[in-house]
């Protein structure tokens, strides 16, 4: 069956290559539709960027535009239907990145990611041996895929272990901030000399495996190092924990700096493990993990969009050393 699928797909690819010249100007043709769709997206959607500036989050955003398109075996025209590899190819193509047409070939591009725990939004998840299905990871154990006949392009759980995970592009640091995207890229303790509660950040960071500079930067942005701060939404203390969140973290007094920092460190450690991304962990700290999972990246909330680079900038100001 896999051989037949690949044969049909390759025949369609050849037909497109040689037949495209004849139909390119025809009204309603696949070529015309794709050109118009791409042009419209480029003009109206900030997520449509050049290959040199695209991120994994952009890939997810591009793929989301095809939600609801019916699965069609061998389909490459979103007006009629797409199969799994066509969805992947088109999402990347919308960002100016060319990928092979066949799932088995797409499963060889980019660089290998060791496990789903290290996967980031935009990575390719390939299934079965030989590979006959492929999807785009969106984070939080979810992926976007064109599943099978009778279904539409949709978001679903990663229902089985991928045989390979491939990273085609790497997320760039936020503009103007020398910030690492991946938690494993964090290096150095920074300079917390003179920073209020530096000892608490250092102790909690060591205990939970979270950089002390990250904790200090979060405290700086959240409360300005004020242990008595209360936000209009009811967040409390140095780390601005909501009462319900604090309770879940075992923090009985959010106004107690030691408890607050320890709770925030525990929370950030969990978020870093889940999202394997400093910006996504910060976004989840601000807006909640559910919002990050729902949007497959930093949620489109003005507060959260501003919060993430603020914390990263605060980390840089504390002397944090990182590699992109």
């Amino acid at each position: 069956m896999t051989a037949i699928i690949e044969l049909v797909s390759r025949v369609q690819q050849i037909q497109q290559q040689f037949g495209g010249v004849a139909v390119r100007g025809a009204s309603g043709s696949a070529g015309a539709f794709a050109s118009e769709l791409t042009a419209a997206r480029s003009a109206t959607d900030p997520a449509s960027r050049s290959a040199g500036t695209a991120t994994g989050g952009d890939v997810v955003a591009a793929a989301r535009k095809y939600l609801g398109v019916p699965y069609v075996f061998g389909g490459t025209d979103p007006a009629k239907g797409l199969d799994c590899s066509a969805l992947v190819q088109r999402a990347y193509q919308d960002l100016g990145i060319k990928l092979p047409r066949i799932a088995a070939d797409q499963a060889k591009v980019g660089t290998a990611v060791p496990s789903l725990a290290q996967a980031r939004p935009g990575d390719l998840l390939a299934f079965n041996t030989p590979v006959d299905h492929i999807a785009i990871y969106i984070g939080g154990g979810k992926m976007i895929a064109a599943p099978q006949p009778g279904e539409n392009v949709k978001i679903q759980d990663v229902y089985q272990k991928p045989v390979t995970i491939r990273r085609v592009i790497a997320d760039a640091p936020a503009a103007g901030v020398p910030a690492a995207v991946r938690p494993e890229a964090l290096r150095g303790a920074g300079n917390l000399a003179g920073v209020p509660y530096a000892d608490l950040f250092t102790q909690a960071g060591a205990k939970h495996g979270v950089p002390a500079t990250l904790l200090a930067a979060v405290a700086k942005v959240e409360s300005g190092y004020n242990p008595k701060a209360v936000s209009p939404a009811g967040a409390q203390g140095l780390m601005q924990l909501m009462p319900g969140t604090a309770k879940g973290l075992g923090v009985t007094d959010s106004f107690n700096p030691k408890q607050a920092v320890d709770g925030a460190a525990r929370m950030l450690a969990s978020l870093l493990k889940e999202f394997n991304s400093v910006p996504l962990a910060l976004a989840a700290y601000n807006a909640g993990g559910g919002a990050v999972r729902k949007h497959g990246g930093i949620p489109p909330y003005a507060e959260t969009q501003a919060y993430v680079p603020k914390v990263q900038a605060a980390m840089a100001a504390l002397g944090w050393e990182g590699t992109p």
Side-chain angles (χ1 to χ4, degrees), residues 49 57 86 97 106 116 157 193 225 232-233 246 264:
R49 303 179 184 177
I97 300 170
Q106 292 173 352
L116 194 64
D157 292 332
Y225 301 125

Side-chain angles (χ1 to χ4, degrees), residues 99-296:
L99 292 186
R101 170 67 180 91
I102 309 302
D105 293 335
Q106 292 173 352
K108 300 174 184 176
V109 301
T111 58
V113 177
S115 70
L116 194 64
Q118 282 77 51
R120 299 208 304 268
D123 288 348
L124 304 183
L125 308 182
F127 300 92
N128 306 320
T129 304
V131 172
D132 61 7
H133 185 56
I134 197 159
I136 296 173
Y137 189 59
I138 66 174
K142 302 280 186 181
M143 63 184 185
I144 182 169
Q148 60 187 0
E151 296 191 58
N152 298 333
V153 174
K154 66 180 183 179
I155 293 173
Q156 57 184 160
D157 292 332
V158 181
Y159 52 82
Q160 70 183 62
K161 182 179 179 180
V163 296
T164 186
I165 303 172
R166 309 295 297 187
R167 180 160 299 151
V168 180
I169 56 177
D171 285 341
V177 180
V181 172
R182 300 174 300 282
E184 65 267 24
L186 293 170
R187 302 185 188 279
N191 180 15
L192 298 188
V195 174
Y197 308 105
D199 57 337
L200 296 184
F201 299 135
T202 301
Q203 292 166 11
K207 178 181 177 181
H208 298 288
V210 177
T213 45
L214 175 58
L215 294 172
V218 168
K220 170 68 174 178
V221 173
E222 288 284 357
S223 69
Y225 301 125
N226 179 5
K228 298 181 180 180
V230 179
S231 78
Q236 300 174 343
L238 184 66
M239 307 306 287
Q240 288 293 276
L241 299 174
M242 294 295 290
T245 301
K247 183 178 180 180
L249 292 169
V251 176
T252 59
D253 182 5
S254 295
F255 296 108
N256 180 308
K258 184 174 181 179
Q259 287 193 38
V261 173
D262 188 80
R266 187 181 298 112
M267 181 178 177
L268 282 166
S270 176
L271 294 173
L272 286 168
K273 181 178 180 180
E274 176 179 358
F275 296 108
N276 198 41
S277 161
V278 172
L280 293 184
L282 290 173
Y285 190 93
N286 177 261
V292 174
R293 289 187 288 272
K294 176 182 177 181
H295 294 281

Side-chain angles (χ1 to χ4, degrees), residues 15-97:
Q15 288 175 332
Q16 289 173 344
Q17 290 173 343
F18 289 93
V21 175
V23 301
R24 188 169 297 156
S27 175
S29 70
F33 176 85
S35 297
E36 292 169 7
L37 186 62
T38 301
R41 286 182 178 143
S42 297
T44 61
D45 186 358
S48 295
R49 303 179 184 177
S50 68
T53 60
T55 68
D58 293 334
V59 174
V60 172
R64 282 177 175 274
K65 297 183 181 69
Y66 298 103
L67 288 171
V69 172
Y71 175 96
V72 171
F73 173 72
T76 59
D77 182 351
K80 300 177 181 178
L82 301 170
D83 63 17
C84 63
S85 56
L87 168 67
V88 169
Q89 185 186 50
R90 186 165 285 275
Y92 273 87
Q93 179 180 302
D94 287 350
L95 299 172
I97 300 170

